[in-house]
Amino acid sequence: YLLLIFLLAMFSQNQVCRQVVYYICSFAPDADSFRHMNMDVGFSKEEYAGLASFGFTTTFAGASLFAGNFADKLDRRGILAVSSLVWSTATALQGFASDYWQLLPLRAVVGTAQAFFNPAAYTLLADEFPPERVAQVNGVLTSGIYLGGALSSLAILLNEQVITLFFFFFFFFFFFLFLFLFFFFFFFFFFFFFPPSSSSSPPLPST
């Protein structure tokens, strides 16, 4: 269950990095560069749509075609560690973006890195839990989508308190990076004593 808690925390952080940009853009008449990214960076509604489609969804879908193969062949714990660091860093670097064409590639990096989470996480759970519990723990993990969405919505309130978008992005980055590292050390402590079972079938006895 420690593994499940760790992955749930990581998945929630994953969703925050994915969704937070949606809560700090506004095309309302009272939008300003202090609170809203689109006004600060300077992009239109059409370009905003690009951040959500090509900038994230297309790269996420494309990388997903290969992510499962990597999860089959490589250490899934390593995949989770590296991909989470990449998407967290790319989220933080969005605070440095001064124009749309700096922001778009960072969103693409977030989408690419996050594509590696699902195949690695769900197969780790399938290895660790008995078959009759896999559906239940997968449901718990999936709740991270909504936990992350709820945390992302706090951006509306937090954005009223921060000084600039730079500090806003780094608040999220360092807060959730700390949360990630907290569970990360327990994760490896857990596996030091309880190594993950192999997903491969045991060899048949010789005759």
Side-chain angles (χ1 to χ4, degrees):
Y1 285 97
L2 184 59
L3 171 64
L4 177 59
I5 292 171
F6 168 81
L7 292 176
L8 178 60
M10 180 181 280
F11 199 21
S12 299
Q13 190 262 9
N14 172 306
Q15 294 300 309
V16 169
C17 292
R18 178 184 305 193
Q19 300 182 40
V20 67
V21 67
Y22 306 139
Y23 291 98
I24 56 171
C25 289
S26 174
F27 295 92
D30 61 345
D32 59 72
S33 59
F34 178 81
R35 295 175 300 158
H36 303 113
M37 172 189 284
N38 56 300
M39 300 299 294
D40 182 64
V41 176
F43 54 83
S44 64
K45 291 181 180 180
E46 291 75 17
E47 290 172 324
Y48 172 76
L51 290 178
S53 58
F54 175 79
F56 180 89
T57 307
T58 304
T59 54
F60 181 90
S64 295
L65 299 175
F66 307 97
N69 187 45
F70 278 91
D72 286 335
K73 296 181 178 180
L74 302 177
D75 185 349
R76 289 164 294 179
R77 291 166 294 174
I79 290 174
L80 291 172
V82 172
S83 62
S84 64
L85 181 61
V86 170
W87 81 57
S88 297
T89 303
T91 300
L93 290 176
Q94 290 176 65
F96 289 102
S98 58
D99 62 53
Y100 178 79
W101 296 107
Q102 294 176 2
L103 188 61
L104 184 63
L106 292 171
R107 285 290 293 170
V109 171
V110 173
T112 301
Q114 291 192 350
F116 288 84
F117 176 85
N118 287 357
Y122 284 109
T123 53
L124 271 178
L125 290 177
D127 281 354
E128 280 302 308
F129 287 86
E132 64 272 14
R133 302 298 299 277
V134 170
Q136 180 184 9
V137 296
N138 284 348
V140 173
L141 179 60
T142 303
S143 68
I145 297 174
Y146 307 100
L147 290 173
L151 290 170
S152 297
S153 67
L154 293 177
I156 299 173
L157 298 176
L158 292 173
N159 207 17
E160 300 290 340
Q161 307 299 323
V162 296
I163 300 173
T164 64
L165 287 173
F166 175 89
F167 289 106
F168 174 75
F169 271 103
F170 271 84
F171 171 85
F172 268 100
F173 175 70
F174 285 116
F175 177 82
F176 286 101
L177 181 61
F178 171 81
L179 182 64
F180 164 72
L181 290 175
F182 177 81
F183 284 102
F184 189 78
F185 284 116
F186 277 92
F187 178 70
F188 277 98
F189 175 82
F190 177 80
F191 277 101
F192 180 80
F193 292 102
F194 304 98
S197 58
S198 173
S199 60
S200 59
S201 303
L204 295 175
S206 58
T207 56

